[in-house]
Each structure stands twice: as structure tokens, then as C-alpha cells.
Amino acid sequence: DRVIVALSLLLHLHRLGSYHFAIMVQRITYRRQNTFTTTSNKYQKVKTPGGRLSMQYSTKKVSVPKCGDCGRRLHGLPAIAAFKYSQLRKADRTVKRAYGGSRCHRCVRERIVRAFLIEEHKIVKRVSKAHAKSAKKAAAK
């Protein structure tokens, strides 16, 4: 008799649209020891093919390698965490060029041109000094 009353009450509530059933939520636990919500302890809830909820840890976002002079992105280098660079072979860590993997091609070009112009300036100074000395000798005679 009570079952019929309960069912009729549920049917009445269903018609009104004001009923809520308590659904048990499946709980998941951390897979590592750290239980604090830190930047290194972020995760996503993933439903496995077996139908149960599981926790999948996500890695931090990594910044791309940048030029030491101008701060532009260095091309040809992977954007991976610093500790993973040690596991890469040297060909993947650098670019085959002077200052490869440290400075961008524009800054390397600038450095080469600057060094060349400084050397040219030194030569010009030396020549002009020698020319002034020879002119001074000629004037003394």
C-alpha cells in the first residue's frame, strides 16, 4: 500500500517537474602523493573505455626558446621543458651556425657586421696616423 502511495507521489511530482533524484557521483583520487592544488599538480578527469573515471595529470605550459639579445623566438628548436633538453641529442638542441640556439640570425648578422666595422675602423685609424706622421716628416724637411 505504501509503495503505491510513493509511486503516485513520484508520478505527481514528475508531472509538476519539481523532482530531483540523488545520483551518486563517482569519486577519483590522486595518483601521486601531492594532494594540494599547485601548478605542478593539475589534472583532467577522463572516462576510460571501461566506463570508470580516472585522473590524467597535465604538464605545465613551456615557453619557447628566445634570443638572448632581442627576445625573438628561436626557430628550429623545440619548445620543451629545460630538463628534457638534456635528453635530446645535440643536433636537436642547437642550430648549426655561430651562436646557434642562443641568438637569432639577425643578431648574429649584426654582431658580425659590427665586428667587421670595428676592425675596419682600427685599420683606418692606423693608416691615417701613419699618413699624418709621413706628412709631418715631409713638412720638417
Side-chain angles (χ1 to χ4, degrees):
D1 212 23
R2 288 183 185 168
V3 175
I4 295 168
V5 172
L7 284 173
S8 64
L9 182 66
L10 272 174
L11 191 65
H12 179 70
L13 288 173
H14 180 71
R15 285 191 195 121
L16 293 174
S18 60
Y19 66 95
H20 296 287
F21 290 105
I23 299 169
M24 284 294 289
V25 179
Q26 190 179 359
R27 295 180 184 182
I28 58 172
T29 54
Y30 284 105
R31 300 172 84 171
R32 299 176 187 162
Q33 285 190 332
N34 185 9
T35 57
F36 299 103
T37 51
T38 59
T39 51
S40 63
N41 205 27
K42 287 186 177 167
Y43 62 90
Q44 278 89 34
K45 292 176 189 170
V46 176
K47 193 160 257 190
T48 60
R52 67 183 187 88
L53 272 179
S54 181
M55 184 183 283
Q56 220 175 51
Y57 284 98
S58 57
T59 54
K60 292 183 189 180
K61 278 227 167 183
V62 185
S63 64
V64 293
K66 293 178 184 74
C67 174
D69 290 348
C70 61
R72 286 191 195 99
R73 182 188 189 284
L74 291 176
H75 296 288
L77 299 177
I80 57 173
F83 67 91
K84 292 255 181 177
Y85 265 101
S86 62
Q87 296 171 357
L88 292 178
R89 57 199 186 111
K90 186 157 186 193
D92 298 333
R93 278 184 273 150
T94 60
V95 180
K96 290 194 175 175
R97 182 180 62 231
Y99 296 100
S102 169
R103 304 287 184 263
C104 68
H105 68 281
R106 291 186 191 107
C107 294
V108 172
R109 186 174 186 272
E110 231 174 69
R111 282 177 180 223
I112 292 168
V113 169
R114 190 185 306 127
F116 176 75
L117 289 175
I118 288 168
E119 287 300 315
E120 284 289 304
H121 184 66
K122 284 179 187 174
I123 291 166
V124 168
K125 271 172 67 175
R126 204 178 305 130
V127 168
S128 64
K129 196 174 185 181
H131 187 61
K133 207 175 203 181
S134 63
K136 204 175 193 182
K137 276 186 182 177
K141 284 184 181 178

